[in-house]
């Protein structure tokens, strides 16, 4: 096939259009408002494991160039709308991550992201489950805690394990590391084990929510009452991560501390620091409403639902044809 032609079949692109319409109808029935936010912003995420694309903007009044980032997610800007009083919102938009191309990855992809005011993460998981059943005729979802996943598939309790025990699991699985620092960082070891040994086994009988991540992996989620776990979940279907969601942290000081922690880890891993998004922190100081939010990979969802071999087969032009 010539590279001028689409990556996806025309039949798949028509199914994609139908899915987008069904999603919009789903939210319209619940009075959730569709919004649009910038894809190119002056700040980006501090997550040590995400690499954004950058560009230089020259036409600014003082004549100096300024770095802008293609967004890995519209999350920060959407939260600014929440703080302004927009209410429950959703967005379907491109997102960009400077990473390898593979079955589940393309540098440009489509996110469905939404935030529900006065929802907990449990309420949001129920809504996701409802969407999957109504739109894609999937069976009711299952739930497993992060701790249960490690006990069931690796025979190790993450709340008792030391880094050397996690390292032993990695070595048993034949997993490698890019640096000695990674081999001594418990969070990095847990993520490596999760991705390589646990995720591929999840969600085959039914969509599966993994809940109660360690507090060290809270990201933008609030902590649970136990003080050990975060009100965060991820959704897996047929061994593929489809969505990541939080009962959102509302404390700007706590969030600023987490951003600082991310930059410390970036330094330990030999990565450049990232300027913290002060616009988001100012919005949080103004006051975010109690809410839960989730980001869902649209092409990954289509790949699983349509039994495609890769997410590139669910988009009009993948990176090799862009």
């Amino acid at each position: 096939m010539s590279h001028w032609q689409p990556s996806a079949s025309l039949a798949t692109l028509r199914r994609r259009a139908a899915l987008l319409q069904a999603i919009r109808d789903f939210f319209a029935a619940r009075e959730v408002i569709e919004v649009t936010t910038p894809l190119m912003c002056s700040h980006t995420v501090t997550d040590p494991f995400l690499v954004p694309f950058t560009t230089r903007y020259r036409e600014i009044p003082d004549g100096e160039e300024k770095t802008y980032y293609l967004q890995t997610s519209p999350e920060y800007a959407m939260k600014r709308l929440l703080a302004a009083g927009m209410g429950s919102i959703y967005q379907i938009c491109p997102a960009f991550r400077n990473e390898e191309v593979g079955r589940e990855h393309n540098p440009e992809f489509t996110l469905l992201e939404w935030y529900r005011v006065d929802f907990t993460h449990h309420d949001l998981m129920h809504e996701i489950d409802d969407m999957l059943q109504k739109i894609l005729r999937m069976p009711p979802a299952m739930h497993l805690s992060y701790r249960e996943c490690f006990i069931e598939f690796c025979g190790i309790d993450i709340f008792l394990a030391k880094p050397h025990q996690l390292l032993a699991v990695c070595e048993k699985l034949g997993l490698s590391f890019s640096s000695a620092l990674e081999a001594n960082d418990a969070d990095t070891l847990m993520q490596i084990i999760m991705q390589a040994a646990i995720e591929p086994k999840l969600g085959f009988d039914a969509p599966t929510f993994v809940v109660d991540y360690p507090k060290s992996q809270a990201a933008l989620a609030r902590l649970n009452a136990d003080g050990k776990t975060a009100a965060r979940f991820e959704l897996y279907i047929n061994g593929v991560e489809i969505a990541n969601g939080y009962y959102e942290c509302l404390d700007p000081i706590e969030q600023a501390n987490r951003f600082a922690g991310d930059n410390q880890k970036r330094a330990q891993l030999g990565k450049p620091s990232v300027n913290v998004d002060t616009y988001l922190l100012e919005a949080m100081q103004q006051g975010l409403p109690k809410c839960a939010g989730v980001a869902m990979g649209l092409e990954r969802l289509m790949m699983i639902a349509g039994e495609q071999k890769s997410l590139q087969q669910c988009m009009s032009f993948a990176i090799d044809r862009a």
Side-chain angles (χ1 to χ4, degrees):
M1 180 181 289
S2 173
H3 275 54
W4 71 263
Q5 294 180 314
S7 308
S9 70
L10 298 185
T12 297
L13 294 178
R14 292 187 182 99
R15 286 197 296 272
R16 178 187 174 110
L19 175 62
L20 290 173
Q21 187 59 56
I23 290 170
R24 288 187 164 100
D25 291 343
F26 181 89
F27 285 123
R30 288 159 176 75
E31 298 183 342
V32 181
I33 299 171
E34 183 171 10
V35 298
T36 301
T37 58
L39 299 179
M40 187 176 73
C41 298
S42 54
H43 300 90
T44 188
V45 297
T46 54
D47 188 321
F49 302 102
L50 292 181
V51 182
F53 287 97
T54 62
T55 187
R56 299 289 290 174
Y57 176 50
R58 296 182 176 86
E59 301 299 325
I60 52 180
D62 59 10
E64 295 184 6
E65 289 189 355
K66 183 176 180 180
T67 297
Y68 277 76
Y69 302 87
L70 297 182
Q71 294 302 288
T72 60
S73 158
E75 178 173 8
Y76 292 1
M78 291 182 76
K79 285 184 175 178
R80 289 161 62 188
L81 291 178
L82 291 172
M86 192 72 185
S88 294
I89 55 177
Y90 79 97
Q91 183 167 190
I92 301 171
C93 68
F96 305 86
R97 297 180 185 180
N98 198 347
E99 58 191 8
E100 78 282 0
V101 177
R103 175 175 180 261
E104 301 171 17
H105 298 91
N106 193 75
E108 180 180 354
F109 59 100
T110 307
L111 275 181
L112 163 61
E113 188 150 339
W114 75 95
Y115 293 85
R116 295 291 257 129
V117 173
D118 291 329
F119 268 36
T120 67
H121 57 307
H122 296 292
D123 298 325
L124 187 56
M125 283 187 279
H126 178 77
E127 183 165 74
I128 295 167
D129 194 10
D130 192 30
M131 172 187 282
L132 295 177
Q133 290 183 55
K134 288 184 176 178
I135 295 179
L136 296 174
R137 303 293 185 264
M138 292 187 176
M142 301 168 54
H143 294 74
L144 281 172
S145 73
Y146 192 88
R147 179 174 180 246
E148 288 170 338
C149 287
F150 275 77
I151 292 174
E152 178 176 347
F153 296 108
C154 301
I156 190 168
D157 188 331
I158 58 166
F159 293 118
L160 300 176
K162 303 298 182 184
H164 74 272
Q165 293 171 304
L166 292 168
L167 182 59
V169 173
C170 290
E171 291 174 345
K172 183 178 179 180
L173 294 169
L175 305 177
S176 58
F177 315 93
S178 60
S179 70
L181 286 170
E182 288 186 355
N184 289 287
D185 182 77
D187 271 329
T188 301
L189 293 173
M190 283 190 285
Q191 291 184 56
I192 289 172
I193 295 169
M194 185 71 178
Q195 291 172 2
I198 299 176
E199 289 181 3
K201 300 175 182 177
L202 297 173
F204 285 93
D205 294 328
T208 300
F209 288 104
V210 175
V211 300
D212 299 338
Y213 278 65
K215 68 177 183 180
S216 55
Q217 296 181 30
L220 286 89
R222 65 176 67 191
L223 298 184
N224 289 319
D226 62 14
K228 296 181 180 179
T229 59
R232 174 186 173 186
F233 65 84
E234 291 192 354
L235 172 65
Y236 295 88
I237 305 175
N238 291 358
V240 177
E241 179 198 337
I242 301 296
N244 182 27
Y246 311 129
Y247 190 16
E248 302 292 345
C249 173
L250 306 182
D251 184 345
I253 296 175
E254 170 65 21
Q255 194 58 65
N257 289 336
R258 293 185 193 178
F259 287 155
D262 284 346
N263 270 327
Q264 288 176 359
K265 179 167 282 190
R266 292 181 71 88
Q268 291 169 358
L269 296 174
K271 298 180 179 181
S273 64
V274 174
N275 291 333
V276 169
D277 191 334
T278 54
Y279 295 157
L280 172 63
L281 294 179
E282 288 173 9
M284 294 179 72
Q285 290 166 2
Q286 174 66 28
L288 283 178
K290 186 183 81 171
C291 63
V294 63
M296 180 178 291
L298 189 74
E299 286 91 5
R300 287 190 182 184
L301 183 63
M302 282 195 64
M303 177 182 73
I304 297 302
E307 299 182 349
Q308 305 287 353
K309 293 181 179 179
S310 72
L311 85 173
Q312 284 83 8
Q313 293 179 328
C314 300
M315 56 180 60
S316 57
F317 298 100
I319 188 64
D320 65 333
R321 297 166 189 261

